[in-house]
Amino acid sequence: MGNELNEGERLVKLETKLETELTAIKEALYDLKKIVLIREEIYVTKDILESKLELHDKEIEGLHRGLNEIRDNNKSNKQLAPAWGQVVFALAAVIVAIVASWK
């Protein structure tokens, strides 16, 4: 009979220990689930990152195109500078001729 009580007590102790271990495992799984959810909120997925990078690439391409257009416009304006100089010189000559003809 002494062995039966010892066996019963041992089973009760094991059951109690098993329940506490199961509770600890459940809490650990809950914490792990919280960590995974937080990680998903913090980190960006590959698809989202790729789409954002594509948008940035398109914006950069647009900026490059705009910059090239501005450079081309500046070049054409610089090429027109001598012609405008000649126009100004011609107008000055006409004004001088008009003033000279009045005297």
Side-chain angles (χ1 to χ4, degrees):
M1 286 244 211
N3 284 340
E4 289 178 10
L5 289 177
N6 288 339
E7 289 293 321
E9 289 175 359
R10 191 173 72 83
L11 285 176
V12 169
K13 287 181 182 178
L14 286 175
E15 286 177 1
T16 307
K17 186 175 181 180
L18 180 62
E19 288 176 4
T20 56
E21 292 294 325
L22 284 175
T23 305
I25 290 172
K26 287 179 184 178
E27 289 176 3
L29 286 175
Y30 178 74
D31 292 341
L32 185 61
K33 186 176 180 180
K34 281 178 27 180
I35 290 170
V36 168
L37 290 175
I38 290 171
R39 182 189 166 273
E40 287 177 0
E41 291 176 3
I42 292 174
Y43 292 103
V44 179
T45 62
K46 182 180 177 182
D47 297 333
I48 293 172
L49 182 63
E50 285 179 355
S51 64
K52 286 185 178 183
L53 289 176
E54 286 177 13
L55 288 175
H56 286 295
D57 289 345
K58 289 178 183 177
E59 290 176 2
I60 290 171
E61 285 178 24
L63 291 173
H64 280 293
R65 272 188 256 119
L67 185 61
N68 287 336
E69 288 177 11
I70 290 171
R71 287 179 180 160
D72 291 341
N73 288 338
N74 286 341
K75 283 181 186 178
S76 64
N77 289 341
K78 287 179 183 177
Q79 290 172 351
L80 291 176
W84 281 107
Q86 290 174 354
V87 169
V88 169
F89 182 72
L91 286 175
V94 169
I95 292 172
V96 168
I98 292 173
V99 169
S101 68
W102 280 358
K103 289 186 178 186

